[in-house]
Amino acid sequence: MDTFGVAALVGLILLYFVIESSASRTRAEFTRRLNRLEEKVDLLLKHDGLEEPPAPRQDEVVALARAGKKIEAIKVYREATGVGLLEAKEAVERLT
C-alpha cells in the first residue's frame, strides 16, 4: 500500500472514532433530556394527585420477575412497551 493509501486509511479510522464519539454524546444527551422530561411528567402527575396507568401486561411482567424468570419478564416488557433491552432490564429489576 502506498503512502497515500495508508494516510487515507488512518484518516478514515480517525473520522470513524470522531463520529462515534459524537454519536455517543448525542445519545447520552438525548437520554439525559428524556429522563428529565419523565421526571417533570411524574412531578405533574403527583401534583395533580394522578397516577400513571400501568403498562400493558404489567401483571404478567411482575409475576415473571417475582418467579425469578427475569429474562422472560424482560421479553414480555419489551413486547408490551416497545422499549430497548437496557430500559426493559432496568424496569424489571426495579420490580424485584
Side-chain angles (χ1 to χ4, degrees), residues 46-87:
K46 184 178 178 181
H47 181 268
D48 288 342
L50 302 172
E51 290 185 23
E52 184 177 1
R57 301 175 69 183
Q58 183 72 17
D59 294 337
E60 183 181 356
V61 172
V62 170
L64 287 168
R66 292 190 177 151
K69 299 178 180 180
K70 287 186 179 181
I71 294 174
E72 292 176 44
I74 291 168
K75 287 180 182 178
V76 171
Y77 189 89
R78 290 186 71 195
E79 290 172 4
T81 62
V83 300
L85 179 61
L86 180 61
E87 187 176 343

